[in-house]
Amino acid sequence: MALYRVRFAPQGHVSNAVTSPAVGRHALEDNSTITRQRSRSGCRECRQRKVKCDETFPVCVRCQRRGSLCQPNLQTSDWHMEVPWLADSPLTTVCLNSHPEIKINARLMRYWLEATSQMLSVDPSNNPFSFPILKYATVSHSLVHVLQSASAAQEAYFHQPKMSVSLDERGKALSALREELETQSSSLSHSFLTLLMLGMSSSWMAMGPTDYGREHLLIARTVAEMVIQKNDSKKDELDHLTLGTYVYWDMACSFCLDPVDHPVDRESSLDIYVKQARHRFHAITTHSIDLYYLLGHLGRYCRVVVDQGSRDLLYEGNIEKRLVEYESMESDPAAKSLTEAFRKHGLLLLHRLCGKPGVSQHTISAQLENENYAHHLAVDIIELILQTKSDSPYLHIQTIPLLSAGAEMTLSDTLKRDQVRHRLNEVYSTNRLVSTLWVIDLLEELWGAHDTGMTRITWLELMLVKNWRLRIG
C-alpha cells in the first residue's frame, strides 16, 4: 500500500499514473516522460525542493518516487471575485454581511469549497455541497462550523494528532445546533443538514473503526420523517439534498447498526418519498435513491441474519425479485455502471450473507451452485467498477461494492485482487478517508484467512469479530 497522501487535481492535469507499490520504477519513468510538462504552480513538496513538478493527479511523479506527501499549492481563483468575503485577507476570519455574528474562517471555507465538498458529489460542475451551500450557511451558525470542521479534518489528512482545529470547530457546531434547536432560530431543514454532516463526520474523529455516528443516525431517521411531512418538501432543493444524503448514509451504516436499534418496518413517508424522487437527480444517489434505500433495508436484514441466524424466506424472495427487476434510470454511462454494480452488490449480499434466497436447507450441490453464482456476481461488480476511469468523481462511492466483491476473490483470482487493491488505493488517494484503508486491511486479513484453508468467514462476520463498526464509503 502506498504511504504517500495526495492532493486534488488542478484542472487539465489529470493522469492515470499508477499508485500501486507493486509498480516498478521503469513504469513510473515511462509515464513521466509522457506527462511531464512545465510547472505552473507545482505541489508544495516540489516547490520546497526547488524542482519541476508535473502536477499530475492524484500524485505527481516525483512524489510517487519519493513516497512523500503531495499537496496542492492553492492559487487565487476566479470565484474570489464572486465571493468577496473569501478574498485573501490578513485576518483569519471574516463576516457575512447579512449575519455579522456568523464568523467565517476564510481558509477553511475556501478549502471546503475547492476540495472537501468534492467528496460529496458525482458532478463537480453542479455540486450543491460547494457554492450553493453558502446560501444555507448564511442563516445557520452550526452549519458554518461543521463545514469548517470537515475542512480542517481533511486538510490534516484525518491524522488524529493534527485534528485539534477540526475538533474545536465540531464542538462549536454542536453547541450552535443545540442553541438553534432551542430557540428555533434556524429551520428544521437547515438543522437536518448540520445533523447529517455531524453524523457522517463522526467516523473521521475516531481513533479506530468503531464510531459511525450512531446517535446522529437514530435521530436522523425521525427528523427525515418530519422534513418530508412539510407541505413544501417536494419542492425544496435543500430537503431533496438532505434526504438523498441521509438515504446514502443510512445504507453505508446499515451493517453497523445493532438489530435492537433497527427502525420498525412499516410504511413511512420516506418509503413514499424515495419512490417518487428517483426522477430527480441527486449529487450522491443520482437517479437511484430508491435502490440505495432498498439496500439500506437489506443491509440491516443481513446484520440480523449474521447476528441471530434467523431468516425470513418470504422477505428474501421479495428483495431478490425487486433487485432482479430493478431498472436504472441513469443515462450517464458512469452512473449506469455504478448503479448496476450496487444492484448486483445487493444480490451478492443476499446469496453470501444469507444463503440462496427463499431456501432454508441447502444440499451440497445447491451450496456449490450458490458459491459459483456469488463469485460470478463479484466478478461482474469489479468489471463494472473498473469501467469508471480513475479520475472520475464516481470513485468516491465505489468502496461498498468493492468490499463485497473483493471478499469473494479466491487465491486463483490474483489479478482481480490486485485490481481491487489498486482501485481502493485510488479511492483513498482522492478522498483521504482512513476508512478506505481499513477496508483494505479487512480484505487482506480475509484473503489471508481463506488462503490458509480456515473455515470460510464473510467480511461482515470478520468485521464484527474484530469489533469494528466500519462506516464504509
Side-chain angles (χ1 to χ4, degrees):
M1 184 185 305
L3 298 178
Y4 50 72
R5 298 189 177 94
V6 301
R7 59 191 170 98
F8 285 83
Q11 187 174 6
H13 289 271
V14 176
S15 167
N16 289 325
V18 178
T19 58
S20 171
V23 176
R25 178 179 299 273
H26 292 299
L28 292 177
E29 290 175 351
D30 291 342
N31 183 70
S32 67
T33 60
I34 298 173
T35 60
R36 182 173 290 124
Q37 52 192 287
R38 184 177 179 81
S39 173
R40 296 188 302 175
S41 59
C43 69
R44 296 179 187 178
E45 182 79 5
C46 287
R47 288 174 69 87
Q48 289 175 357
R49 293 173 179 265
K50 297 182 179 180
V51 295
K52 290 182 179 180
C53 178
D54 63 353
E55 303 178 47
T56 53
F57 173 74
V59 185
C60 77
V61 170
R62 290 186 183 275
C63 283
Q64 284 190 60
R65 291 172 175 168
R66 290 189 294 258
S68 59
L69 177 67
C70 194
Q71 301 180 73
N73 228 341
L74 295 179
Q75 296 176 303
T76 302
S77 317
D78 292 340
W79 58 260
H80 284 173
M81 301 299 294
E82 301 171 24
V83 192
W85 50 268
L86 280 177
D88 293 334
S89 167
L91 301 176
T92 57
T93 61
V94 291
C95 298
L96 285 171
N97 294 332
S98 58
H99 287 270
E101 73 277 8
I102 300 180
K103 299 295 182 181
I104 304 292
N105 184 309
R107 180 180 59 80
L108 291 179
M109 190 59 73
R110 172 181 174 175
Y111 198 88
W112 169 268
L113 297 171
E114 283 197 334
T116 310
S117 63
Q118 301 308 315
M119 290 194 300
L120 298 173
S121 177
V122 297
D123 186 358
S125 64
N126 182 26
N127 183 0
F129 291 100
S130 187
F131 290 99
I133 210 171
L134 296 179
K135 61 178 176 251
Y136 310 129
T138 60
V139 295
S140 176
H141 197 181
S142 63
L143 181 58
V144 168
H145 285 300
V146 78
L147 297 183
Q148 293 177 171
S149 173
S151 293
Q154 191 190 39
E155 190 178 42
Y157 296 96
F158 306 100
H159 183 49
Q160 287 294 327
K162 296 183 178 181
M163 293 275 277
S164 58
V165 174
S166 178
L167 291 171
D168 182 55
E169 289 289 333
R170 182 180 177 83
K172 292 177 181 178
L174 286 166
S175 177
L177 178 60
R178 188 179 301 110
E179 181 180 349
E180 289 170 3
L181 292 173
E182 290 175 351
T183 62
Q184 297 184 353
S185 58
S186 184
S187 73
L188 179 64
S189 297
H190 289 88
S191 298
F192 190 33
L193 179 56
T194 301
L195 176 65
L196 292 174
M197 295 298 298
L198 285 168
M200 290 189 296
S201 63
S202 294
S203 62
W204 304 348
M205 309 298 167
M207 294 293 291
T210 56
D211 189 351
Y212 59 94
R214 171 184 173 274
E215 295 81 4
H216 294 93
L217 186 63
L218 296 179
I219 296 173
R221 175 71 184 215
T222 301
V223 178
E225 292 286 344
M226 295 169 62
V227 167
I228 293 172
Q229 290 171 9
K230 295 191 318 179
N231 292 331
D232 61 344
S233 64
K234 294 181 181 179
K235 302 177 182 178
D236 195 311
E237 292 181 0
L238 177 56
D239 290 341
H240 183 62
L241 177 67
T242 53
L243 290 169
T245 303
Y246 164 73
V247 167
Y248 181 82
W249 177 40
D250 175 66
M251 182 271 298
C253 295
S254 59
F255 308 101
C256 303
L257 203 61
D258 294 327
V260 68
D261 291 326
H262 289 180
V264 178
D265 285 331
R266 62 174 181 268
E267 186 74 7
S268 67
S269 301
L270 191 55
D271 293 323
I272 299 171
Y273 181 85
V274 297
K275 292 175 184 177
Q276 298 172 342
R278 69 187 306 241
H279 70 281
R280 297 181 62 183
F281 178 81
H282 189 277
I284 299 177
T285 62
T286 58
H287 296 95
S288 304
I289 185 173
D290 54 337
L291 175 62
Y292 291 110
Y293 186 64
L294 177 63
L295 292 175
H297 282 281
L298 175 58
R300 286 188 288 274
Y301 173 77
C302 289
R303 174 65 191 275
V304 170
V305 172
V306 170
D307 271 9
Q308 303 172 3
S310 57
R311 297 174 60 189
D312 184 335
L313 301 184
L314 184 62
Y315 178 82
E316 290 177 13
N318 179 52
I319 289 286
E320 182 181 40
K321 183 175 184 295
R322 293 172 65 182
L323 287 170
V324 169
E325 296 177 352
Y326 185 83
E327 294 184 6
S328 171
M329 289 185 63
E330 309 295 351
S331 56
D332 180 86
K336 197 172 187 66
S337 293
L338 186 64
T339 297
E340 182 65 5
F342 267 98
R343 185 185 72 83
K344 293 194 173 188
H345 155 74
L347 290 169
L348 178 56
L349 291 180
L350 269 177
H351 284 262
R352 171 52 62 208
L353 300 180
C354 305
K356 188 173 182 179
V359 179
S360 58
Q361 299 292 332
H362 292 84
T363 63
I364 295 179
S365 61
Q367 289 177 353
L368 181 60
E369 180 184 354
N370 196 58
E371 288 280 336
N372 292 335
Y373 181 60
H375 187 270
H376 176 73
L377 286 170
V379 171
D380 283 351
I381 291 169
I382 294 172
E383 291 178 351
L384 283 165
I385 286 176
L386 293 180
Q387 290 177 15
T388 304
K389 295 182 179 179
S390 60
D391 60 316
S392 169
Y394 284 91
L395 219 66
H396 298 303
I397 51 179
Q398 292 184 344
T399 309
I400 295 174
L402 276 172
L403 171 58
S404 65
E408 297 299 316
M409 297 301 101
T410 66
L411 189 59
S412 61
D413 298 310
T414 303
L415 175 60
K416 283 290 185 284
R417 284 185 178 181
D418 286 342
Q419 289 174 331
V420 170
R421 287 189 189 99
H422 181 61
R423 179 47 61 99
L424 285 171
N425 277 318
E426 289 178 324
V427 172
Y428 173 69
S429 74
T430 58
N431 64 27
R432 307 169 184 171
L433 292 176
V434 181
S435 60
T436 309
L437 299 181
W438 289 328
V439 166
I440 297 174
D441 290 342
L442 189 69
L443 281 175
E444 295 290 357
E445 185 172 343
L446 189 71
W447 289 334
H450 291 170
D451 293 349
T452 55
M454 294 177 60
T455 303
R456 187 169 183 86
I457 185 173
T458 66
W459 64 266
L460 180 55
E461 290 169 329
L462 178 60
M463 190 179 80
L464 297 176
V465 167
K466 294 168 68 65
N467 197 29
W468 284 11
R469 296 298 183 272
L470 183 58
R471 183 180 68 82
I472 309 165

